[in-house]
C-alpha cells in the first residue's frame, strides 16, 4: 500500500484559524448537547427520582459495559419542532449502539421526563430507525420501556401510516423471525398499543410499581364500567403470577438492569464476520486536525487525501484509477483493521486532458463512471464502503450533457442502490442535489449516516437556491403588476437566504432523522470503526446484481 504524504502543517496560520472557528462551532454544539441530554429538565428528572425510578440515560449508564459509551443516534431528533407543545427534546427517547457484556446491541429507551415518554410523530420515526439499524445489521435489541403511549393530540400523525406507531410492532415481529434477540424491560408505564412492543420480544422483565395494560383503570371504567385496581389490572405481580406474561419480576431499576446483563451474558456469540479484519493500526497523520481541513466555510479548498490520511490505518491508501475522474477519489484502505473501499469528493480543482480544469466538489462523467466501477468491485470482493461527502452535484452544461453525464450518473446511482456490502456515509461539507444521492444519501439505505457540524444538506447550495427562488418570486410580482425596486430585491434576497440557510443546517437534517448523528470530526474514525463492527453482524449477503446499466 502507499502511505499518503501529508503536506498539512499544524502550525499553518490559515489552518489554525480554521480550527479556531470550528472550535467555536463545536462549543455551541456541546452546549446544546448538554441541554438535550437533560430531557425534560431538572424538575422532571426529580419527579422521576421521587417515583424511585432512574432516567433513561441513568438506566443506559448502568446497562453498558464499564469504560464504554453509548454511540447515540437521533439526539437532535425533533429539534425546534413541536414548539406549540413545549418542545420534545430528543423526541422523548434515547437510542444508539451499546456494548453490553462485550457484545453490540441497539438500545431503545423511552425518556419519561419528556411528556411522560409519550410517542410524538418523530418519536415513532426515531424508534423505527433504530429498529431498522438492528434489522439491517442483525443486531440484538434492548428496550427500556417507560411510556404513556401515543400523544393523543397528534394521534392522526402517529397512528396510521407505514412509518408510524404500528410499524414498531411489525419490526418486533420481523426481528424475531430473523432470529435476532430482543429483550424488553418495563420500568414504568406501558399502556395501550405500546404494550405490544415488550410482549413481542423474546424476554420480558418488569419492575415493581410499573404497569402494563391495554387500558388503564380510568379507561376500563369508562369503557365497561368496571372498577379495577392498577396492580390487579396490570402490575408486575399480576403479570408474573397470574397472566404469566412477564419472565422476570424485579424490585427496582438497578436489579432489573443487573438481570438484563446476566441474561445477555448467556447469549451465544455473534457469527463470524464475512468481511476482512486485521490488527488495527493508528493513522500516521494526526486526526485532531481534521476540523482545520474541512472548515465551516463552504468555499475553502482542501485535498481530501489529507482527510483520508487521518482516518485510515497507518495512513495507507491504495488509490483506484488515481489519474482518471479526479474530482472523486476512490481507493482501498483499512479503518480499525477493517478492509474498506472509500469514495470521497475531492475539493481541489483538477486538470483534465479532455477539458482542462475540472471544479472540485463536482461529479463529472469520468468520476461517476470510475466510482460506479469501484463500487461494483467492492461488492464483488465483500469490501464495505465508506462515503465522504462534500459534493456540489453533477456537472451541467452542453459539453457535459453531450458527454453523457446523465448516463454516467445513472450508473453510479445504480451501483449504490444495489450495493449489498455495508455502506457508511459521512457528510463533511456540502451534500447537494443528485450528488447527495450518488454518494449514498439517506434515500439509498446507508447502514449508518453521520454529519459533521460543517455539513450542509439540500437540493442546491444557499446562494444558488436563494437567487433562483428570488427570480421566481420577482417574476410573479411583476406579472401581478407590482414594482420590484432595488430595496425590494435586497429584502427578498435577505429573507429568502435566511430561510433557506436554516434548512441547510445539519441540525435541521438531524431533527428529521436524515442523519443518524452529528459527530465531531476528530471522532470520525472511532465512529466508523464502531459502525463497521456493528455492520459485520450481518453475514447473510444476497448476490450483487445491478440490473440494466446504460452503455
Amino acid at each position: 500500500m502507499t502511505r499518503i504524504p501529508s503536506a498539512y502543517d499544524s502550525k499553518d496560520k490559515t489552518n489554525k484559524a480554521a480550527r479556531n472557528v470550528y472550535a467555536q462551532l463545536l462549543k455551541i454544539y456541546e452546549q446544546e448537547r448538554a441541554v438535550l441530554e437533560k430531557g425534560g429538565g431538572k424538575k422532571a428528572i426529580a419527579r422521576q427520582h421521587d417515583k424511585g425510578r432512574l432516567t433513561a440515560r441513568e438506566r443506559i449508564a448502568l446497562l453498558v459495559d464499564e469504560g464504554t459509551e453509548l454511540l447515540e443516534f437521533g439526539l437532535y431528533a425533533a429539534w425546534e419542532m413541536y414548539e406549540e407543545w413545549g418542545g420534545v427534546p430528543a423526541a422523548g427517547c434515547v437510542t444508539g449502539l451499546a456494548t453490553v457484556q462485550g457484545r453490540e446491541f441497539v438500545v431503545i429507551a423511552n425518556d419519561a421526563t419528556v411528556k411522560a415518554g409519550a410517542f410524538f410523530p418523530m418519536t415513532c420515526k426515531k424508534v423505527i430507525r433504530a429498529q431498522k439499524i438492528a434489522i439491517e445489521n442483525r443486531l440484538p435489541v434492548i428496550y427500556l420501556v417507560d411510556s404513556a403511549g401515543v400523544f393523543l393530540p397528534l394521534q392522526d400523525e402517529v397512528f396510521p401510516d407505514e412509518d408510524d406507531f404500528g410499524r414498531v410492532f411489525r419490526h418486533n415481529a420481523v426481528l424475531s423471525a430473523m432470529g435476532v434477540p430482543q429483550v424488553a424491560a418495563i420500568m414504568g408505564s406501558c399502556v395501550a398499543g405500546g404494550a405490544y412492543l415488550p410482549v413481542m420480544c423474546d424476554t420480558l422483565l418488569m419492575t415493581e410499581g410499573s404497569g402494563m395494560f391495554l387500558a388503564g383503570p380510568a379507561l376500563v371504567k369508562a369503557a365497561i364500567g368496571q372498577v379495577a385496581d392498577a396492580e390487579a389490572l396490570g402490575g408486575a405481580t399480576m403479570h408474573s403470577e397470574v397472566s404469566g406474561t412477564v419472565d422476570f419480576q424485579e424490585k427496582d431499576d438497578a436489579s432489573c438492569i443487573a438481570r438484563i446483563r446476566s441474561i445477555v451474558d448467556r447469549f451465544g456469540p455473534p457469527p463470524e464476520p464475512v468481511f476482512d479484519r486485521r490488527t488495527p493500526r493508528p493513522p500516521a497523520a494526526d486526526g485532531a486536525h481534521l476540523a482545520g481541513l474541512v472548515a465551516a466555510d463552504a468555499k475553502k479548498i482542501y485535498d481530501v487525501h489529507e482527510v483520508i490520511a487521518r482516518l485510515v490505518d497507518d495512513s495507507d491508501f491504495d488509490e483506484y484509477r488515481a489519474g482518471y475522474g479526479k474530482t472523486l477519489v476512490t481507493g482501498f484502505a483499512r479503518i480499525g483493521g477493517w478492509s474498506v473501499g472509500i469514495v470521497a469528493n475531492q475539493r481541489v480543482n483538477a486538470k483534465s486532458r479532455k477539458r482542462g480544469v475540472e471544479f472540485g466538489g463536482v461529479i463529472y462523467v469520468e468520476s461517476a463512471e470510475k466510482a460506479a466501477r469501484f463500487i461494483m468491485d467492492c461488492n464483488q470482493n465483500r469490501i464495505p464502503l465508506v462515503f465522504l461527502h462534500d459534493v456540489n452535484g453533477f456537472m451541467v452544461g452542453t459539453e457535459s450533457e453531450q458527454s453523457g453525464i446523465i448516463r454516467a450518473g445513472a450508473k453510479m446511482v445504480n451501483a449504490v442502490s444495489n450495493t449489498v456490502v455495508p455502506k457508511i456515509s459521512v457528510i463533511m461539507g456540502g451534500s447537494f442535489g443528485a450528488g447527495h444521492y450518488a454518494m449514498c444519501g439517506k434515500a439509498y439505505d446507508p447502514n449508518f449516516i453521520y454529519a459533521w457540524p460543517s455539513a450542509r444538506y439540500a437540493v442546491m447550495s444557499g446562494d444558488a437556491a436563494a437567487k433562483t427562488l428570488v427570480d421566481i418570486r420577482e417574476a410573479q410580482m411583476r406579472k401581478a403588476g407590482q414594482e420590484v425596486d432595488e430595496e425590494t430585491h435586497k429584502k427578498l434576497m435577505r429573507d429568502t437566504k435566511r430561510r433557506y440557510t436554516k434548512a441547510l443546517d445539519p441540525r435541521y437534517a438531524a431533527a428529521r432523522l436524515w442523519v443518524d448523528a452529528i459527530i465531531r470530526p476528530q471522532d470520525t474514525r472511532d465512529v466508523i470503526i464502531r459502525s463497521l463492527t456493528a455492520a459485520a453482524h450481518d453475514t447473510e449477503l444476497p448476490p450483487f446484481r445491478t440490473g440494466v446499466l446504460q452503455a
Side-chain angles (χ1 to χ4, degrees):
M1 299 186 77
T2 305
R3 179 176 293 180
I4 303 171
S6 177
Y8 183 85
D9 182 358
S10 61
K11 297 179 181 179
D12 180 83
K13 292 181 180 179
T14 303
N15 290 322
K16 185 176 181 180
R19 290 199 303 275
N20 289 338
V21 170
Y22 217 106
Q24 292 300 314
L25 182 60
L26 286 172
K27 186 176 180 179
I28 293 170
Y29 275 80
E30 291 303 322
Q31 292 169 345
E32 291 171 349
R33 177 182 293 274
V35 172
L36 290 169
E37 287 177 347
K38 290 179 181 177
K42 291 183 179 179
K43 291 183 178 178
I45 292 171
R47 286 194 295 271
Q48 184 79 345
H49 289 165
D50 289 343
K51 296 175 184 177
R53 297 173 184 167
L54 301 175
T55 66
R57 294 183 184 278
E58 290 168 340
R59 289 166 176 165
I60 291 172
L62 277 181
L63 177 67
V64 302
D65 291 351
E66 187 175 351
T68 70
E69 293 183 356
L70 180 77
L71 174 52
E72 185 168 356
F73 304 139
L75 176 64
Y76 277 89
W79 168 260
E80 295 187 341
M81 297 170 69
Y82 311 120
E83 292 184 344
E84 66 274 30
W85 302 106
V88 188
C93 65
V94 182
T95 65
L97 284 180
T99 305
V100 183
Q101 301 290 37
R103 183 167 176 174
E104 286 295 319
F105 285 80
V106 169
V107 171
I108 300 171
N110 302 115
D111 186 351
T113 71
V114 179
K115 305 295 188 294
F119 275 71
F120 281 68
M122 288 308 302
T123 315
C124 293
K125 290 173 174 55
K126 182 172 176 177
V127 171
I128 289 167
R129 172 58 184 161
Q131 288 180 313
K132 187 176 179 184
I133 287 172
I135 290 170
E136 290 180 342
N137 301 287
R138 292 182 176 266
L139 290 167
V141 187
I142 296 173
Y143 304 90
L144 305 180
V145 182
D146 192 353
S147 170
V150 168
F151 185 68
L152 285 176
L154 296 177
Q155 65 82 27
D156 60 318
E157 299 179 42
V158 176
F159 169 70
D161 210 347
E162 66 180 2
D163 59 349
D164 287 341
F165 200 46
R167 195 73 168 187
V168 173
F169 318 135
R170 181 185 182 277
H171 279 171
N172 282 140
V174 168
L175 280 161
S176 185
M178 291 171 62
V180 177
Q182 296 174 91
V183 177
I186 300 166
M187 311 177 82
S189 297
C190 182
V191 299
Y196 287 110
L197 184 152
V199 177
M200 295 184 75
C201 293
D202 305 301
T203 306
L204 177 55
L205 304 90
M206 190 171 182
T207 59
E208 294 174 8
S210 297
M212 176 175 66
F213 23 66
L214 289 180
L219 186 54
V220 167
K221 183 177 180 180
I224 62 175
Q226 184 183 73
V227 177
D229 173 75
E231 176 59 36
L233 188 64
T237 300
M238 189 283 286
H239 280 304
S240 293
E241 300 180 5
V242 181
S243 76
T245 303
V246 169
D247 303 314
F248 298 91
Q249 179 180 346
E250 301 298 334
K251 181 181 178 180
D252 54 26
D253 285 10
S255 64
C256 188
I257 295 295
R259 180 78 72 177
I260 293 172
R261 287 184 55 82
S262 178
I263 290 167
V264 303
D265 191 39
R266 292 168 173 79
F267 282 6
E272 285 296 316
V274 297
F275 312 112
D276 187 60
R277 191 178 196 185
R278 306 285 172 85
T279 302
R281 296 173 297 168
D286 188 355
H289 296 148
L290 274 172
L293 287 168
V294 186
D297 181 3
K299 297 178 182 178
K300 181 178 172 62
I301 292 175
Y302 63 92
D303 186 346
V304 78
H305 291 94
E306 295 282 4
V307 174
I308 295 170
R310 284 155 180 79
L311 298 179
V312 305
D313 290 11
D314 207 31
S315 300
D316 282 346
F317 182 61
D318 280 336
E319 187 165 356
Y320 176 87
R321 297 189 183 179
Y324 185 76
K326 295 179 182 178
T327 62
L328 270 177
V329 172
T330 56
F332 303 101
R334 291 187 182 273
I335 300 181
W338 292 105
S339 174
V340 297
I342 294 174
V343 181
N345 300 112
Q346 175 61 283
R347 295 297 302 186
V348 175
N349 294 340
K351 290 183 179 180
S352 166
R353 290 181 182 275
K354 290 183 179 180
R355 63 180 64 86
V357 175
E358 292 181 340
F359 298 110
V362 177
I363 301 176
Y364 290 78
V365 169
E366 294 80 11
S367 46
E369 289 183 337
K370 176 176 78 171
R373 185 67 181 84
F374 177 74
I375 291 165
M376 288 189 279
D377 274 2
C378 288
N379 278 274
Q380 188 80 351
N381 296 299
R382 292 187 172 185
I383 299 174
L385 285 157
V386 175
F387 294 85
L388 303 177
H389 294 226
D390 197 349
V391 58
N392 292 331
F394 285 87
M395 189 58 190
V396 297
T398 304
E399 191 275 337
S400 188
E401 297 289 359
Q402 291 178 356
S403 296
I405 187 64
I406 298 175
R407 186 174 66 249
K411 289 180 186 177
M412 186 175 175
V413 168
N414 193 319
V416 171
S417 301
N418 289 293
T419 288
V420 297
V421 296
K423 299 170 289 187
I424 299 168
S425 285
V426 181
I427 304 175
M428 305 182 302
S431 191
F432 298 116
H436 170 75
Y437 298 154
M439 291 293 294
C440 195
K442 182 64 185 292
Y444 290 81
D445 292 331
N447 295 61
F448 302 94
I449 181 168
Y450 304 105
W452 289 2
S454 51
R456 297 168 307 283
Y457 200 152
V459 170
M460 63 176 72
S461 62
D463 290 337
K467 186 177 186 309
T468 302
L469 291 168
V470 168
D471 287 346
I472 292 170
R473 178 60 182 143
E474 289 179 352
Q476 291 171 339
M477 291 171 69
R478 292 189 182 97
K479 190 174 181 180
Q482 297 176 255
E483 184 180 346
V484 181
D485 56 21
E486 184 63 25
E487 188 58 36
T488 301
H489 173 77
K490 288 181 179 178
K491 185 178 185 305
L492 281 172
M493 280 295 294
R494 283 195 305 269
D495 293 346
T496 303
K497 193 169 182 178
R498 183 171 58 250
R499 288 195 305 271
Y500 199 86
T501 299
K502 182 178 180 181
L504 290 172
D505 193 306
R507 290 170 294 189
Y508 188 92
R512 290 150 182 82
L513 300 178
W514 299 341
V515 297
D516 292 318
I518 299 173
I519 62 173
R520 302 187 309 168
Q522 58 265 42
D523 295 336
T524 303
R525 175 178 158 86
D526 290 339
V527 169
I528 291 174
I529 293 170
R530 189 92 179 262
S531 302
L532 289 166
T533 304
H537 284 71
D538 182 10
T539 60
E540 300 181 16
L541 300 185
F544 174 63
R545 300 188 180 97
T546 62
V548 174
L549 290 174
Q550 290 288 342

